Amino acid sequence: VLTFNPPPDPKRPWSEDDWNVDTTINDHAYAYSKTLAEQAAWIWMSSAHNSQNYGMAGGYTSPDEIKAVLDAGGQEYRVSFDLVAINPGFIVGPSVSNRTDGESTALVKGLLEGRFNANGTKGGRCVGAADVRDVATAHVKAMENPSAYGRYLVISSTGITHLELAKAIAADPELEGFAMPQH
């Protein structure tokens, strides 16, 4: 998750230079954990003696911050690969398992079960949606392309609110028996 908030300047699109700064351990801990994990990977990678010049790894704002992290416990090593981070938005599409506890699946399940019917979605947060098949393709292409390195955001050109998602689900003839939120 890059952010749950609208961009500060709606005319400036998000890019791979942007990082999640909105979440905490107490507010959207899952998204926060993903950010911390990616930051740790970039710090580790940028400390290797033969790695690409990744610039400000992990969203840190100065080389001194990165140096302090590395000095606190870094080690000397070399790597034989480049790091590529694929960061999808809200993932939609067919699931390969019956699990329903994932973020995207849980939201769709909640819509289908009527969890939002009493109070509505209140518009819901706006998320950039990515088809799971496109995300899988991005991973394969990054793995197969030797010149791929860095961060890649896999998101839609426009956002979708929870209410818009509910309306899209309701439009599917196979799901017409489900009472979807109307507001």
Side-chain angles (χ1 to χ4, degrees), residues 52-169:
Q52 298 277 351
N53 177 8
Y54 289 108
M56 294 299 102
Y60 288 92
T61 57
S62 78
D64 292 336
E65 286 180 287
I66 294 173
K67 183 178 182 331
V69 171
L70 296 174
D71 288 347
Q75 55 184 333
E76 186 172 322
Y77 55 91
R78 296 191 174 275
V79 295
S80 60
F81 57 88
D82 286 319
L83 177 62
V84 177
I86 306 291
N87 294 292
F90 181 79
I91 299 177
V92 295
S95 177
V96 295
S97 76
N98 292 327
R99 291 184 53 193
T100 59
D101 58 341
E103 293 287 317
S104 301
T105 305
L107 174 60
V108 172
K109 182 178 182 226
L111 290 168
L112 292 169
E113 291 176 345
R115 197 172 325 142
F116 298 97
N117 289 353
N119 296 321
T121 63
K122 298 185 174 74
R125 293 188 161 159
C126 188
V127 294
D131 188 290
V132 66
R133 293 160 287 206
D134 294 335
V135 175
T137 298
H139 278 89
V140 170
K141 287 184 181 277
M143 184 177 58
E144 292 176 342
N145 184 345
S147 65
Y149 68 91
R151 301 181 78 222
Y152 296 88
L153 302 180
V154 182
I155 56 175
S156 59
S157 60
T158 60
I160 183 170
T161 66
H162 293 176
L163 182 58
E164 290 169 327
L165 178 61
K167 288 180 180 178
I169 292 170

Side-chain angles (χ1 to χ4, degrees), residues 34-52:
K34 291 179 75 153
T35 300
L36 293 180
E38 186 185 353
Q39 287 174 337
W42 286 118
I43 288 169
W44 181 82
M45 194 68 182
S46 65
S47 68
H49 288 282
N50 62 331
S51 70
Q52 298 277 351

